[in-house]
Structure formats: structure tokens, C-alpha cells
Amino acid sequence: MTNSAGAEADGSRGAFSVDSTVAGAAPQGFFHAFQRGWDAELGDGLPLRSFNRDVTGDFRVRSRAAKVRDLALTDIHSMSAIRTAHALGGVEDRVRMYVVKRGAWTLDGSRDRDRHTVSAGQFLLRHVGRPWRFEAVPHTMVKIILLPTVPLTPLLGNRAVTGPADSAEVRLLVAHANMVYETMAGLGPAGVQAAHSTLLELAQAVARRRFDDVEPRLAPALARAAKDLADSHLTDPELSPTMLARELNVSLRTLQRAFTVAEESLIAYIRHRRLEEARRALIASAGRLSVSELAAHWQFADSSHFIRSFKKAYGQTPAEYARSTGPAES
């Protein structure tokens, strides 16, 4: 299954996605669909690797990609093993960044010392002189960012920058890349320029291992990174703006300023998301969970506070909501 969105805008193209994991999708058909999407949406001197035939019989992969001028973003979620047939010849004067969320991604150059395995929770950023062969174990999730060399080689030289994917700089870069996927189709030339500049700024921050927390262009990425981090800690009693600022290596004032730019409140966002998850849990349990259990799990001060907040958000108490939705709602 493939879909594409967005038209060319100022040298950039919209995102496209391909999924060979859905029911009825022929694994072999993935290659043709992905090749068509890649050529149409990215293309332009970015050759697609040829895959090893011993893995194509069971090739179950979800992928999305987008191009922002001379940058390219690709997300790959492989249910099966994937492996390229060989390293391509020639020269690839590019910088590549790999951020692995799950599994392991191995890159293999022409020399033994060029072999790198990026494990789950890690990233690798380096200049690539020639295309590398790669392979991934089943259930690998990786984000690949293809970058121009000029802004980055003075910071990288011949070294590879590696480290944890939960560092503040990488969190911001990943958050901004995800926003690009979501908004690419609607961006005009000014939006494309802003997205491109911010991606480059954050890639340089990864190479320097620090970012400029007063740079206004980074405020949306900082707010998005804080939201993503908050979403993964909704049941944590320690979740607070102070904790998020500490994890993102910024001052509380800087984080609050980023949300002010977005005309949001971080406290309100956390409360909204906790209520949303409590509502889903209430429906999924068909009312079997008590109000006190829901309040405790989603870190509300007490049952009364939870009931008041829930009614304000959804117009009904939790008990009324559970009765009105019934078992059929999903």
C-alpha cells in the first residue's frame, strides 16, 4: 500500500509512505511501490539501494519519506529482516544520521573499520564518502536523515558522532522531523525554508552536542519534544514542567517560552493528555475500573478533582460517560 501527499514547492516534495505489512500486501510489490514513491518524491541523485534477494520473499516493512530541498527524511519500521545486496560504488558526498528506536541497524563500508551497528536507543551521525551496505534485524525502527555536507563537515571532520537517542539535541531533531512529515503537504516556500533551516540547525546542534536554547526558530521543536516526552511519562508522579526542562537540558523559563510561542500551556497539555488517556481506559474497561483507580493511575490529586476535571472536559462525570458510550465504542 502506498500513498503520497503534497506537490513540489521550492525544490522540495511532499511525504510519501509505503506499507507491505497490511493484509493482502504482496511483499514483492513493496519494491515497485517504494521505488515509484522514491523516484517521484525524492529522486534527484539519491539512488535507492538494491535489496538482497534472500530477504525479499518475506519483506514486511512500513516506511515514509520526505524531501526538504537538499535534505531527505526516511522512517523505516521493519517487521522482517532487511539487507542490501552490496555497497554501491562511486561517491556519496553526504552526511547521514541514523536514530534507532528499536532493534539494530548495521552499516557496512568497504573496510572492516567502517562497520557500525547502531543499537536501540542510540544514534550515529557521520559524513559518508561512499554508499554503504546496510542490514536490520526484524522489528527495527529507524529514522534516517540525509544531510548536505557543507554546513556539517567543519563540525564532523572524519569522526562519527554517536550517543544516546534521548539526548536533548536528538529529541529536538526527531520532534522537528516528525512535524515536517505532518505539515509538508501544506508548506509554501517560506515554510519549506523554515523547516530546512531548523533541520540544519538541529543537526549542527547534534554534532556540537548542544543547542542554542534561545534560538526562536527552535521553539516549535522544543515544544513538540516536550510533548513527546510528556506523553511517555503520563503515569509518572514526577511529571512536571520542571522535570521536562531538566530532561531537555533547558531552563524552565525557556521551555515555558516555547509553549507561549505556540500559545499553549504545558500544564494544560499534561492535564488534557491524562484526561484523554483516562477516558480511553474508561471505555476499554467498560466501566470496570473505579473512579479512584483511574484518578490514581493518571496522577490526579483525588477522585473529586478527577471527576470535576473530567466533567469540565467532556460534559459528563466518568460514570455518566461510561454509561453513555456503552461497550460498542472503541
Side-chain angles (χ1 to χ4, degrees), residues 49 83-88 98 105-118 124 126 128 130-136:
R49 308 292 193 269
R83 187 180 308 114
T84 48
H86 53 77
L88 298 177
Y98 304 85
W105 190 268
T106 298
L107 300 154
D108 196 356
S110 59
R111 298 182 294 273
D112 288 342
R113 67 184 180 87
D114 282 340
R115 185 176 176 86
H116 298 268
T117 295
V118 190
L124 167 70
R126 68 160 297 172
V128 180
R130 59 178 59 85
W132 286 357
R133 189 178 71 88
F134 64 78
E135 59 184 82

Side-chain angles (χ1 to χ4, degrees), residues 1-25:
M1 181 177 69
T2 179
N3 59 72
S4 177
E8 186 164 337
D10 196 20
S12 301
R13 293 179 171 87
F16 78 96
S17 61
V18 179
D19 190 347
S20 66
T21 68
V22 295

Side-chain angles (χ1 to χ4, degrees), residues 108-192:
D108 196 356
S110 59
R111 298 182 294 273
D112 288 342
R113 67 184 180 87
D114 282 340
R115 185 176 176 86
H116 298 268
T117 295
V118 190
S119 302
Q122 299 291 310
F123 79 90
L124 167 70
L125 174 69
R126 68 160 297 172
H127 177 257
V128 180
R130 59 178 59 85
W132 286 357
R133 189 178 71 88
F134 64 78
E135 59 184 82
V137 300
H139 305 293
T140 291
M141 295 177 67
V142 60
K143 183 182 294 292
I144 304 170
I145 305 176
L146 186 63
L147 298 148
T149 58
V150 173
L152 289 162
T153 46
L155 297 172
L156 291 172
N158 293 320
R159 69 188 176 99
V161 178
T162 62
D166 63 358
S167 69
E169 298 80 26
V170 178
R171 284 187 189 276
L172 263 68
L173 180 54
V174 167
H176 183 66
N178 289 337
M179 286 194 294
V180 169
Y181 280 122
E182 296 164 6
T183 60
M184 191 70 202
L187 293 181
V192 169

Side-chain angles (χ1 to χ4, degrees), residues 192-253:
V192 169
Q193 174 60 42
H196 180 273
S197 298
T198 303
L199 283 167
L200 276 183
E201 173 76 20
L202 288 169
Q204 291 172 315
V206 172
R208 293 191 299 262
R209 298 187 184 275
R210 58 181 174 82
F211 68 94
D212 183 357
D213 61 5
V214 299
E215 169 55 60
R217 290 180 302 174
L218 303 188
L222 179 56
R224 175 62 180 264
K227 289 180 179 181
D228 292 344
L229 187 54
D231 286 347
S232 66
H233 288 81
L234 291 175
T235 61
D236 186 346
E238 301 300 320
L239 176 59
S240 67
T242 300
M243 183 267 266
L244 295 174
R246 182 175 64 249
E247 290 292 318
L248 293 169
N249 198 29
V250 297
S251 69
L252 178 58
R253 183 178 180 182

Side-chain angles (χ1 to χ4, degrees), residues 56-102:
T56 58
D58 179 32
F59 201 85
R60 290 168 291 120
V61 176
R62 291 201 301 266
S63 183
R64 62 179 182 176
K67 184 179 179 185
V68 188
R69 291 190 170 177
D70 54 356
L71 290 119
L73 310 171
T74 307
D75 281 7
I76 295 175
H77 184 184
S78 65
M79 307 301 179
S80 58
I82 57 176
R83 187 180 308 114
T84 48
H86 53 77
L88 298 177
V91 175
E92 182 183 74
D93 188 23
R94 295 277 183 169
V95 172
R96 286 182 181 263
M97 182 172 177
Y98 304 85
V99 185
V100 179
K101 183 176 182 179
R102 183 186 302 168

